């Protein structure tokens, strides 16, 4: 036997053959080969099964036929073929809800508040050919179970099979908020790119799409009653999300167990509104921009102005109607006070009303957040709103950490529920050099690149008391798009963002060495489904788990 | 006027409107709008015009119709439309060779030794509608001129036009070797990906594709007489370059003014040969791999063995027949002596022949290089062959610097012609985290990421005497594929690699601030042609040159 074959044997010995991602909380698998019948079907027992459940069933059956993923071992499964003749055949998977549970759509379950989502499921795949069973308390749980079921199957010479039967899985997520944030304002992403991203998210059980849809550079969202914002603020007429596009994306996400939380960042990050309403924006295009904004162009809402406050409230009400989520992010990051110091209208308003800028910000926040609450939404804000400002926030307001993981403790001490998204662990755009011009030696502000290994080893409750730990809703990877667009979306995000998907589903403490082979599987399967995930290693390593470990 | 329009005006004022890349050595442009006639044609004057010249003419005409690139200003050219009615129309571009020059194919000119390539050309585009003229001493020069001509044109509301007439350009490259290296062994790239890469290379006048085609992880090259290497060493039967694929790629490159230099890295980076010939490989799969190789798997040629030396000589002869280039890289990097210390056959051979390992390496190098010279090839090696080993190299052997730019001086002092490719400036794979497994805190060995600004500001003759400077042939960006594959090829390489294309064509000293707007143009035009170049900045910045500069 030559050394490569030897390495292959070593590999099989040093890792579980199955490749589930995220790893279930409780899983037992065997080593029996089980074939999938050419007439394999997924049955749903019960009456009044929602359409999106049927759609999920059909998509799962289609993927089992289309994936045609060869097992990640030398020969890509050729060595498995010998066992096909003796292998039993699985003809059926039966889905059912636990006794007493009611049939509701996956979409409606996914769009509940994170705390109310039930994603638990129970999956068994016997090795004798008897029907596999999937049960859960909710259709969302059934959907997660279908995703897990789909990860067991490989193809070789026309046979679809698993080598891990029998299987017994009891699974539920450690955290209810497992997200991904995309910025569609610095550069535009067509609807098809967002749908493909939702497909990838659902493959690793992410359940929250945080859509940072507009910013100072462009306003691609077409809002009924406020269409002038996109008409004048989008990069061009082809780079707009219509109300129908939003509806399409929200329902596509919902059917995949994903809720869409929109963000209309205010009062900063709003310069582009000047295109339609110059009267609402302070220090428009002020230079040097670095003095008045974190990114060009400068320009922020004149939030001290009652008309602006009313306008944004009305805007929030209209946007709320487009997004069924219980959550709505109002941003609140990187507010630049220099901009208001030179803005005469703002200074005049503050003087006439006898308020400080902070008092005006408090009024603005209370007023705009009240509109959201009246619309049935829970406000979500970036960390500065609790760490840097003295604004009144409702107790249920959720806070996203972004500047640094060192700020998690302080945010938790505010008593608000928090979402992890610290730049030092979860920013996907770091480490690709400076995007700012005339900066020869510059690198990105959040250097270095955040590897999947780094985010995978993050501890969500580091330095938190037991009570503070209860405030952690989960977390997300984020892609700011200064240097991203459709051309590098998939490979910038995948499979890296899968690391937080497992971190927040399975919980912390995962081992990067054993995780690697499973993450290869995620990347290979994503590529089979048209998602351009990168190669994490030379294929030689991908087919020989452990053989390329540092100390192997 | 609002601030965005204002910013647009500022932008126009602070940069040349035209967007040529690389910048010609001598260029005069006006500011008159000139339309391209719907019946615009490119005429070639002379008899016996080679087919690849006609093909280049047809491709240029096709691109003028298909690019449909909007000018990178606010409105994407809407403000230009008013001048269309008054604008003159260009109906013809005439190509001709200088008096006395002979018609030879672009391919044969491109495949000459770098020192013998003539890429100079002279281009004029009158503003009055008179025919544009392109002259050169060679068809390769005409091809470069066609590429430049193609960069002047934008499209708006069905009109193809330039705003830079009249144009007068006299151009020639500062350095004759301007390359790009791709590793197709760590991960495989289909022929279509390589052709698309050649298209992108030709858009920025790169003229050398350095094909690191095989390595220790896989052997995708099918060589007549040595087909067992790919049959047993390729990742699978679908991941092989047949002799016809090579012929296809070489001719596709030649027609685009690009020479293909193959690299068969020896005696290191050869572990995969053990799949077909275990008897030729020392320390196959030895562990820990890090002791015996820079990357897994360990295994190097038993170069002290006369049979191995003869085999590699025969292999080089066969590979030489597939690649018409005057250059052939034999590698020679990262030779690991520990591997031979534990290899009994090698130790026995050294003892029986009374040679040291270095003496055996000298014999191997002399013998295999002689085969190349007898085949009409100039050997090319990595820097260690002159800096770390005492091997006999012919005076014409060319040396590629890769470890560090700090080694350039020492390589130049060896008296060999050198090619820049230092990892601290030109490695495209750096800064994406560790690919080695079980390495949670690891980043790439050549951190950080090498930005386009960094390579753009490289000085090819730093610390060199005038005579040493004459040894600099040029340089290249390189992509090692441990973490790359078809899914991230384009956006990892483009437009970053265009920075060395301009550095080595126009010469050093370029200004990153004014280069940025032209590089945006390269990226936008590449995307129009199906090459997934990344967005360098938010589109807001791309349409407002200078507005996002650090100090703007």
């Amino acid at each position: 036997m030559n050394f490569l074959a030897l390495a292959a044997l070593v590999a099989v010995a040093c890792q579980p053959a199955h490749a589930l991602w995220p790893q279930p909380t409780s899983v037992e698998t065997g080593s029996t080969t089980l074939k999938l019948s050419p007439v394999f079907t997924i049955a749903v027992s019960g009456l009044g099964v929602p359409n999106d459940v049927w759609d999920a069933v059909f998509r799962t059956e289609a993927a089992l036929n289309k994936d045609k993923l060869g097992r990640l071992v030398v020969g890509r499964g050729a060595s498995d073929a010998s066992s096909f003749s003796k292998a039993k055949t699985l003809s059926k998977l039966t889905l059912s809800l636990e006794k007493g549970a009611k049939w509701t759509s996956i979409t409606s379950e996914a769009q509940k508040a994170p705390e109310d989502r039930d994603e638990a499921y129970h999956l068994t795949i016997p090795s004798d050919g008897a029907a596999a069973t999937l049960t859960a308390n909710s259709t969302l749980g059934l959907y997660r179970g279908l995703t897990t079921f789909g990860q067991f199957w490989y193809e070789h010479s026309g046979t679809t099979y698993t080598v891990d039967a029998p299987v017994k899985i009891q699974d539920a997520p450690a955290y209810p908020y497992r997200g991904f944030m995309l910025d569609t304002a610095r550069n535009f992403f067509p609807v098809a790119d967002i749908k493909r991203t939702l497909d990838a998210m659902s493959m690793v059980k992410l359940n929250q799409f945080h859509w940072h849809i507009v910013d100072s550079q462009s306003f691609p969202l077409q809002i009924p009653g406020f269409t002038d914002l996109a008409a004048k603020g989008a990069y061009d007429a082809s780079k707009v999300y219509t109300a129908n596009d939003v509806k399409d994306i929200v329902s596509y996400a919902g059917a995949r167990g994903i809720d869409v939380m929109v963000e209309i960042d205010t009062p900063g990050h709003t310069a582009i509104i000047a295109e339609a309403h110059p009267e609402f924006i302070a220090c428009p295009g002020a230079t040097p921009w670095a003095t008045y904004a974190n990114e060009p162009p400068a320009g922020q809402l004149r939030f001290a102005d009652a008309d602006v406050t009313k306008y944004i409230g009305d805007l929030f009400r209209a946007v709320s109607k487009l997004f069924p989520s219980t959550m709505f992010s109002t941003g609140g990051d990187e507010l630049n006070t220099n901009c208001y110091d030179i803005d005469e209208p703002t200074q005049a308003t503050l003087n006439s009303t006898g308020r400080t800028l902070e008092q005006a910000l408090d009024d603005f926040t209370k007023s705009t957040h009240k509109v959201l609450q009246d619309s049935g939404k829970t406000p979500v804000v970036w960390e500065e709103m609790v760490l840097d400002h003295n604004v009144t926030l409702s107790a249920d307001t959720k806070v996203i950490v972004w500047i640094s993981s060192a700020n998690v403790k302080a945010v938790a001490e505010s008593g608000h529920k928090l979402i992890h998204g610290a730049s030092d662990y979860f920013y996907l755009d770091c480490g690709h050099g400076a995007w700012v011009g005339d900066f020869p030696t510059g690198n990105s502000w959040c250097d270095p690149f955040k590897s999947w290994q780094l985010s995978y080893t993050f501890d969500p409750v580091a330095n938190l008391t037991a009570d503070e730990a209860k405030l952690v809703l989960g977390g997300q990877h984020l892609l700011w798009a200064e240097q991203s667009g459709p051309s590098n979306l998939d490979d910038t995000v995948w499979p890296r963002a899968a690391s937080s998907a497992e971190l927040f589903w399975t919980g912390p403490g995962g081992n990067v060495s054993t995780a690697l082979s499973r993450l290869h599987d995620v990347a290979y399967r994503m590529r089979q489904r048209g998602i351009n995930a990168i190669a994490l290693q030379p294929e030689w390593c991908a087919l020989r788990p452990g053989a390329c470990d540092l100390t192997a």
Side-chain angles (χ1 to χ4, degrees), chain A residues 108-146:
Chain A
S108 60
E109 293 296 321
Q111 292 171 352
K112 286 180 174 176
E115 302 86 333
D116 301 332
R117 296 169 189 166
D118 184 347
E119 301 179 278
Y121 66 93
H122 179 196
L123 172 69
T124 62
I125 307 175
S127 58
D128 62 0
T133 62
L134 171 59
T135 58
N137 271 314
S138 78
T139 54
L140 185 58
L142 290 177
Y143 183 72
R144 299 304 175 215
L146 277 175

Side-chain angles (χ1 to χ4, degrees), chain A residues 89 128 325 374 402 452:
Chain A
T89 301
D128 62 0
S325 176
D374 294 346
W402 73 273
W452 73 266

Side-chain angles (χ1 to χ4, degrees), chain A residues 300-322:
Chain A
Q300 303 180 137
L301 283 171
R302 286 175 170 151
F303 58 78
D305 182 324
D307 294 343
V308 172
T309 303
K310 180 178 185 314
Y311 178 83
I312 296 301
D314 295 343
L315 180 72
F316 281 4
R317 192 176 295 105
V319 173
S320 292
K321 294 195 176 78
L322 299 176

Side-chain angles (χ1 to χ4, degrees), chain A residues 6 35 67 96 121 144-145 148 154 181 196 226 239 249 284 345 350 371 383 386 406 436 445 448 505 539 545:
Chain A
L6 182 66
K35 293 182 293 186
D67 276 1
S96 56
Y121 66 93
R144 299 304 175 215
T148 302
Y154 299 96
M181 190 217 79
R196 198 174 61 259
F226 298 80
K239 292 173 176 168
I249 287 169
L350 293 177
V371 170
E383 64 177 89
V386 292
V436 173
W445 73 271
W505 177 285
E539 184 152 306

Side-chain angles (χ1 to χ4, degrees), chain A residues 48 58 64 79 84 101 157 159 168 177 203 219 250 308 327 362 373 416:
Chain A
F58 300 149
L64 290 169
S79 54
F84 290 169
S157 56
T159 299
K168 196 169 173 197
Y177 182 114
M203 287 177 71
F219 201 103
V250 166
V308 172
M327 299 179 286
D362 187 37
Q373 283 146 337
H416 288 282

Side-chain angles (χ1 to χ4, degrees), chain A residues 330 357-371 373 379-381 384-399 414 416:
Chain A
T330 62
L357 192 68
E358 275 296 315
Q359 288 168 330
L361 179 63
D362 187 37
D363 292 340
F364 173 82
T365 306
K366 277 187 295 196
S367 173
T368 53
H369 279 203
K370 180 168 189 317
V371 170
Q373 283 146 337
V380 176
V381 296
E384 292 100 313
M385 294 299 278
V386 292
L387 299 183
D388 302 350
H389 300 289
N390 307 315
V391 294
T392 310
L393 297 172
S394 58
D396 65 341
T397 303
K398 298 173 164 84
V399 182
S414 76
H416 288 282

Side-chain angles (χ1 to χ4, degrees), chain A residues 57-312:
Chain A
V57 163
F58 300 149
R59 284 201 310 277
T60 303
E61 290 174 339
L64 290 169
N65 289 323
K66 287 187 298 186
D67 276 1
K68 298 199 185 312
L69 175 64
R71 202 153 66 87
L72 296 189
V73 293
V74 175
R76 303 305 300 275
S79 54
D80 301 327
S82 59
S83 63
F84 290 169
S85 55
K86 300 179 298 298
K88 292 281 192 300
T89 301
L90 179 69
S91 307
K92 191 174 182 185
L93 166 66
T94 304
L95 271 57
S96 56
L97 286 179
E98 305 285 359
K99 206 160 182 310
K102 299 228 172 326
W103 286 105
T104 54
S105 68
I106 296 169
T107 301
S108 60
E109 293 296 321
Q111 292 171 352
K112 286 180 174 176
E115 302 86 333
D116 301 332
R117 296 169 189 166
D118 184 347
E119 301 179 278
Y121 66 93
H122 179 196
L123 172 69
T124 62
I125 307 175
S127 58
D128 62 0
T133 62
L134 171 59
T135 58
N137 271 314
S138 78
T139 54
L140 185 58
L142 290 177
Y143 183 72
R144 299 304 175 215
L146 277 175
T147 302
T148 302
F149 181 82
Q151 292 179 342
F152 276 96
W153 307 94
Y154 299 96
E155 192 269 352
H156 190 275
S157 56
T159 299
T160 300
Y161 67 102
T162 179
V163 293
D164 300 322
V167 175
K168 196 169 173 197
I169 292 174
Q170 195 85 50
D171 200 11
Y175 293 96
Y177 182 114
R178 305 177 311 279
F180 168 67
M181 190 217 79
L182 182 65
D183 158 20
T184 58
R186 273 56 179 257
N187 281 300
F188 181 82
F189 295 85
V191 171
D193 291 303
I194 294 177
K195 286 183 171 181
R196 198 174 61 259
T197 299
L198 293 165
D199 289 334
M201 288 173 67
S202 73
M203 287 177 71
V204 292
K205 303 189 172 79
L206 289 176
N207 66 2
Q208 193 66 53
F209 180 53
H210 173 184
W211 195 353
H212 183 89
I213 194 166
V214 298
D215 209 301
S216 283
Q217 292 77 18
S218 77
F219 201 103
L221 178 60
Q222 199 176 85
I223 306 163
F226 298 80
T227 53
D228 56 343
L229 292 174
K232 297 182 176 177
Y235 283 130
D236 62 55
S238 73
K239 292 173 176 168
V240 168
Y241 302 108
T242 65
N244 279 337
D245 289 335
V246 170
K247 195 172 177 187
D248 184 19
I249 287 169
V250 166
S251 75
Y252 192 91
R256 285 153 184 78
I258 300 168
D259 179 47
V260 180
M261 173 175 75
V262 67
E263 172 169 324
I264 303 293
D265 203 347
T266 56
H269 293 271
T270 46
I272 199 68
I273 290 175
E275 288 291 284
H277 294 281
E279 71 278 14
F280 291 168
I281 298 300
C283 78
T287 57
W289 61 263
T291 303
Y292 302 102
N294 284 40
E295 287 187 13
Q300 303 180 137
L301 283 171
R302 286 175 170 151
F303 58 78
D305 182 324
D307 294 343
V308 172
T309 303
K310 180 178 185 314
Y311 178 83
I312 296 301

